[in-house]
Amino acid sequence: MSLSELEFKASISKLGPHGKSRDGFPVFDLGRGSVEVRYTPAAAKTFGGLLSLPQAHISLVFEGASDAERAGFVHRFDIAFQRGGG
């Protein structure tokens, strides 16, 4: 994903209350299961030497969640992480 750590934290806050994993990543309760959202910074992408975009690897690690809970969270995640553009 193209986002900074600050943008990641702002988007995570839109998903609602959450705890933290042992590694400090956000963990959301999904009812029967949970999901940990892992953020790992990556090298920025530079275009034409003028534009530099931050990059990150984002992993959703589900534990004990049903298919419906997973789908529901991914939908909420997509909405929270939408960016403007054309």
Side-chain angles (χ1 to χ4, degrees), residues 63-85:
E63 287 198 27
S66 69
D67 290 343
E69 289 170 329
R70 289 176 190 221
F73 182 82
V74 169
H75 178 72
R76 288 180 31 230
F77 179 89
D78 287 343
I79 292 170
F81 279 81
Q82 281 181 346
R83 299 287 181 263

Side-chain angles (χ1 to χ4, degrees), residues 3-55:
L3 78 163
S4 67
E5 186 172 4
L6 186 61
E7 292 167 323
F8 173 77
K9 289 178 180 179
S11 294
I12 282 294
S13 69
K14 294 177 188 177
L15 287 170
H18 57 276
K20 296 279 185 185
S21 69
R22 283 180 275 150
D23 296 324
F25 296 114
V27 176
F28 294 86
D29 181 26
L30 300 179
R32 289 191 336 196
S34 64
V35 59
E36 177 181 9
V37 184
R38 296 179 183 170
Y39 172 91
T40 306
K45 297 237 186 212
T46 303
F47 300 94
L50 300 174
L51 177 65
S52 179
L53 296 175
Q55 298 291 300

